[in-house]
Amino acid sequence: MDRLILKGMEFYGYHGVLPQEQHLGQRFIVDVELSLDLATAGRTDDPEQTVNYARVFRVVEEVVTGAPCRLIEAVAEKVAGAILEHFPVSEVLVRVKKPGAPVPGHFAYMGVEIRRRR
């Protein structure tokens, strides 16, 4: 299966278990990989035969900047559901990264990855 990849989308949201995360908010980085057949789009060079990246970005943005969740697992689940609802894809992989997680120590990010199919 072919894939469309949107990597490193950054948004500000209010997700987290701790009160300060829900009050102050923080940066989230989201990657999505959409599985679909891109052969017709490749052969015809017709934008109607693929998924509009800008629309995918907006859908992800609406979820991440929208209603707060306690868990990034819930954020990832909402992103996956919205993509499956709005786009003709057979599978979606979603990564939600939390670079500012309130955990002592040095790390690039903490995150989750989920894969959902139709």
Side-chain angles (χ1 to χ4, degrees), residues 9-24:
M9 296 179 284
E10 293 190 26
F11 307 103
Y12 201 84
Y14 294 86
H15 312 290
V17 173
L18 300 177
Q20 66 265 28
E21 293 178 290
Q22 296 173 5
H23 178 70
L24 298 174

Side-chain angles (χ1 to χ4, degrees), residues 48-91:
E48 296 299 317
Q49 301 302 314
T50 191
V51 170
N52 182 306
Y53 305 142
R55 286 188 55 228
V56 174
F57 184 93
R58 285 192 301 272
V59 166
V60 175
E61 180 179 37
E62 286 176 15
V63 171
V64 180
T65 64
C69 297
R70 289 178 294 167
L71 301 175
I72 57 174
E73 291 86 341
V75 176
E77 194 68 41
K78 287 182 177 184
V79 168
I83 288 172
L84 288 171
E85 178 184 337
H86 291 96
F87 302 99
V89 300
S90 60
E91 179 179 278

